[in-house]
Amino acid sequence: MIAKPSDDLAAAFARLGGEDDGQVWSDLWDDLCHLNCVDDDSFRALPYLAAVSAGRAPGAPHEAVSMAGLIVSAADEAQAARYAEEIAVFLRTAGRLLGEAGDDAPAFVYLLQGILAFEGERVWSPGRLEGLFTEEYEVDCPACSSTLFVAFGEYGTFASAGDYVTSDPVRAALLPADPAALDPLPARLHRMATEAGQAKVAHGLTYLFGRATCPDCEEVFAVSDQVLETY
């Protein structure tokens, strides 16, 4: 991405507040977070996003918080310190919006990731929870390197070594984690999802932080470990 002068950023955000907001946000995502990549220009947008998030400027707060979450998930210590005031605004807004997500699982997961990013968590905030609403993760078996789909949605709960939607590959069992035995971070996420009525997200977390069996070599492995290797 080519760096934009500050007046260009101001002009881009000044376009918000009309009937074309959907296109404006699409353009902002393309310009500032193309293919989920961020750079210095993305961080310069944080004050503008904070103003939208806090209601001081026109635009959708949930869009602002989602974009800010992706940007902040890539922040180093110096960037986090520089934009500490903005990050505090995003955290407050994300906490409020979390209770307003209703049954919108993608919106809820993006807010969860944003909250983690704003709190300084850098492992699960950069998009690695998004499989919770697509209800699958594609990972490699740590033993035989087979590419596997770990699925926990409408097609059932299993690991397969092939496309389970268009074909019928061999499937192996998933071993979900006991919510009561989860480590502190997954336990917190599971609690937040449960309290918000996000049953599918809570269900998915038990599989993300559970174990799977490879249908090719029968290796049993921690799903989250392989997600971290892949994403």
Side-chain angles (χ1 to χ4, degrees):
M1 292 182 284
I2 299 174
K4 290 179 176 294
S6 59
D7 55 345
D8 287 354
L9 278 175
F13 280 93
R15 295 170 56 206
L16 290 169
E19 295 181 355
D20 296 329
D21 272 17
Q23 184 60 53
V24 176
W25 280 113
S26 179
D27 292 344
L28 286 169
W29 277 101
D30 284 344
D31 288 344
L32 300 172
C33 304
H34 185 61
L35 298 179
N36 286 350
C37 296
V38 302
D39 61 11
D40 290 343
D41 204 44
S42 309
F43 284 93
R44 285 193 287 271
L46 289 179
Y48 299 96
L49 292 169
V52 174
S53 173
R56 300 193 303 268
H62 72 277
E63 288 277 10
V65 169
S66 294
M67 184 179 291
L70 176 61
I71 296 169
V72 174
S73 72
D76 58 26
E77 289 186 10
Q79 290 163 328
R82 179 177 181 180
Y83 295 103
E85 290 186 12
E86 289 83 0
I87 290 171
V89 171
F90 297 134
L91 184 57
R92 289 194 296 270
T93 302
R96 173 176 60 81
L97 293 175
L98 198 68
E100 301 174 5
D103 59 358
D104 189 339
F108 183 82
V109 170
Y110 287 133
L111 287 168
L112 274 186
Q113 290 183 153
I115 287 172
L116 293 180
F118 306 142
E119 291 178 341
E121 199 278 338
R122 296 291 180 262
V123 175
W124 291 100
S125 60
R128 288 178 173 139
L129 296 179
E130 292 171 20
L132 294 173
F133 62 77
T134 62
E135 298 180 319
E136 72 168 24
Y137 282 96
E138 185 176 351
V139 301
D140 292 334
C141 172
C144 70
S145 299
S146 288
T147 298
L148 308 176
F149 290 98
V150 176
F152 41 87
E154 62 179 298
Y155 293 93
T157 56
F158 52 84
S160 73
D163 186 347
Y164 57 89
V165 176
T166 61
S167 61
D168 188 23
V170 176
R171 304 180 181 191
L174 298 183
L175 306 170
D178 179 353
L182 288 169
D183 289 339
L185 177 59
R188 179 193 177 200
L189 297 176
H190 187 272
R191 182 174 63 254
M192 292 169 74
T194 301
E195 291 174 350
Q198 292 283 342
K200 288 185 178 180
V201 175
H203 176 75
L205 283 161
T206 66
Y207 289 101
L208 172 57
F209 292 100
R211 294 178 294 159
T213 304
C214 176
D216 284 347
C217 71
E218 299 185 352
E219 175 78 2
V220 178
F221 60 90
V223 175
S224 59
D225 288 349
Q226 295 313 110
V227 169
L228 295 180
E229 288 285 335
T230 306
Y231 294 83

